[in-house]
C-alpha cells in the first residue's frame, strides 16, 4: 500500500528517454514571448555577425542562397514542456561562420523587437545550431519567430531567439534578457539549468 497518493506527485511525467528531467511531453507548439510579436518583412530582413574587426551581412535572398539543412530534433522549454521530433529547415551557424574570423568566444544574439540571449560560440558550431526559417514544412510563423529564428535545440528553448537579426561577438559571457531576469547563463535541459 502506497503512503503517497497521485495528488502529491503533481503532473505525471511521460516516460521517454528523450525527455530531460522535469519535462512534460506536448503535442502542440506552445507560444511564449516576452513582448509583442514583431512583423518583419523579408524585404527588410537582414542577418549580421559582428566581430571585433568586421560586420558580415546577409539579406533574405543571400541567406536563402546558402546551404540549407533539414533538421529533425527535440526541443525543450524551461517552462517544463518538450516537443519531440520537430522538423526544421535552416542555415547552419557553421555555414555562416565559414568566412568569419574572430578570437572572441561568446555571442549575444539580437532579435527584432529588442530581445537578446547569450550563448558561448562553441555551443553554436559543429552542427549544434541553425538560423531556421521553416517549421514542419511551412514558412516559420511570426508567433514562432518567423521569418527566422535561432535554433539551438540542445539548450532550453529561450536560447533559440525568435526573430533573430544578428549575433555580436563578445570577449566574455554577459547575460541577455532572460538571463538578467534570473535564468541560467547556460541553459542545459539535461542538467536542469533553469535558473541562477
Amino acid at each position: 500500500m502506497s503512503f503517497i497518493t497521485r495528488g502529491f506527485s503533481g503532473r505525471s511525467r511521460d516516460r521517454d528517454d528523450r525527455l530531460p528531467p522535469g519535462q512534460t511531453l506536448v503535442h502542440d507548439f506552445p507560444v511564449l514571448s516576452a513582448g509583442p510579436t514583431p512583423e518583419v518583412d523579408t524585404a527588410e530582413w537582414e542577418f549580421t555577425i559582428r566581430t571585433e574587426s568586421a560586420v558580415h551581412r546577409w539579406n533574405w535572398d543571400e541567406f536563402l542562397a546558402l546551404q540549407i539543412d533539414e533538421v529533425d530534433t527535440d526541443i525543450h522549454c524551461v517552462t517544463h514542456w518538450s516537443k519531440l521530433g520537430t522538423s526544421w529547415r535552416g542555415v547552419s551557424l557553421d555555414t555562416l561562420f565559414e568566412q568569419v574570423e574572430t578570437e572572441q568566444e561568446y555571442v549575444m544574439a539580437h532579435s527584432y523587437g529588442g530581445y537578446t540571449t547569450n550563448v558561448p560560440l562553441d555551443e553554436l558550431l559543429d552542427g549544434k545550431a541553425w538560423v531556421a526559417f521553416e517549421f514542419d514544412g511551412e514558412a516559420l510563423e511570426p508567433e514562432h519567430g518567423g521569418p527566422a529564428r535561432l535554433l539551438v535545440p540542445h539548450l532550453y528553448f529561450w536560447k533559440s531567439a525568435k526573430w533573430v537579426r544578428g549575433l555580436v561577438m563578445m570577449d566574455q559571457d554577459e547575460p541577455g534578457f532572460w538571463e538578467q531576469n534570473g535564468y541560467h547563463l547556460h541553459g542545459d535541459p539535461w542538467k536542469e539549468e533553469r535558473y541562477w
Side-chain angles (χ1 to χ4, degrees), residues 7-178:
F8 284 99
S9 62
R11 291 171 64 173
S12 66
R13 188 173 163 276
D14 297 274
R15 301 293 180 224
D16 190 309
D17 291 340
R18 295 179 294 170
L19 283 179
Q23 295 296 105
T24 300
L25 182 64
V26 298
H27 298 287
D28 60 344
F29 195 166
V31 176
L32 300 169
S33 298
T37 298
E39 294 294 327
V40 183
D41 188 331
T42 55
E44 305 296 322
W45 184 88
E46 180 181 64
F47 185 80
T48 62
I49 298 176
R50 182 180 303 271
T51 70
E52 58 272 37
S53 60
V55 179
H56 304 266
R57 300 178 187 279
W58 297 265
N59 65 30
W60 189 251
D61 291 334
E62 292 166 339
F63 174 73
L64 292 182
L66 298 171
Q67 176 182 328
I68 295 171
D69 293 348
E70 307 278 340
V71 183
D72 294 313
T73 190
D74 305 331
I75 55 176
H76 311 288
C77 183
V78 71
T79 61
H80 298 277
W81 62 261
S82 288
K83 186 169 178 62
L84 304 181
T86 63
S87 297
W88 305 81
R89 290 183 78 223
V91 175
S92 170
L93 269 288
D94 295 318
T95 299
L96 292 167
F97 271 87
E98 282 177 358
Q99 303 299 320
V100 174
E101 292 185 21
T102 182
E103 297 296 320
Q104 296 173 316
E105 298 178 10
Y106 298 96
V107 173
M108 186 70 74
H110 290 262
S111 297
Y112 291 94
Y115 178 80
T116 58
T117 191
N118 62 301
V119 187
L121 181 60
D122 65 359
E123 297 284 2
L124 298 177
L125 301 178
D126 297 324
K128 296 179 186 173
W130 297 263
V131 175
F133 57 89
E134 283 187 12
F135 173 76
D136 205 16
E138 303 288 335
L140 190 59
E141 295 178 13
E143 67 182 1
H144 290 300
R149 76 176 297 152
L150 197 57
L151 178 64
V152 191
H154 67 286
L155 299 178
Y156 280 123
F157 213 45
W158 91 81
K159 295 292 187 177
S160 295
K162 294 181 179 181
W163 317 296
V164 70
R165 65 177 174 85
L167 307 176
V168 175
M169 301 305 303
M170 303 183 298
D171 286 325
Q172 58 189 20
D173 204 5
E174 296 178 14
F177 175 81
W178 282 117

